[in-house]
């Protein structure tokens, strides 16, 4: 599907849910790299999308107030990447 007419752009909300529990500690860096690659692929293959990105990162219930972190939908890809980049398992 290729659309070259900008007036036919689509608003696309894309949310990631990330497991940041301790069991992911050996995998979290790869997950973050893969997410960034997916975002770049979407931007490259579908430049007419008006892309908004969001994220929810969760931990174990015992982590208390730290158990959920979220980034509301944003059109700013750098804001999204910075949020994801700061996540730790």
């Amino acid at each position: 599907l290729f659309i070259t007419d900008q007036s036919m752009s689509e608003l696309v909300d894309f949310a990631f849910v990330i497991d940041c529990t301790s069991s992911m500690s050996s995998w979290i860096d790869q997950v973050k790299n893969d997410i960034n690659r997916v975002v770049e692929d979407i931007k490259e293959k579908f430049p007419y999308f008006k892309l908004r990105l969001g994220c929810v990162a969760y931990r174990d219930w015992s982590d208390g107030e730290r158990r959920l972190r979220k980034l509301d939908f944003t059109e700013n890809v750098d804001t999204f990447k910075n949020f994801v980049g700061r996540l730790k398992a």
Side-chain angles (χ1 to χ4, degrees), residues 18-61:
I18 304 173
D19 178 350
C20 290
T21 58
S22 59
S23 65
M24 288 294 292
S25 61
S26 61
W27 298 101
I28 195 70
D29 288 335
Q30 185 62 47
V31 168
K32 294 188 296 186
N33 289 336
D34 289 348
I35 287 172
N36 285 332
R37 190 170 33 253
V38 166
V39 169
E40 290 304 318
D41 285 349
I42 291 170
K43 284 177 44 185
E44 180 182 322
K45 292 177 182 173
F46 304 99
Y48 50 88
F49 278 179
K50 293 177 183 171
L51 185 62
R52 295 190 325 161
L53 301 164
C55 185
V56 175
Y58 66 90
R59 297 178 172 278
D60 291 317
W61 180 259

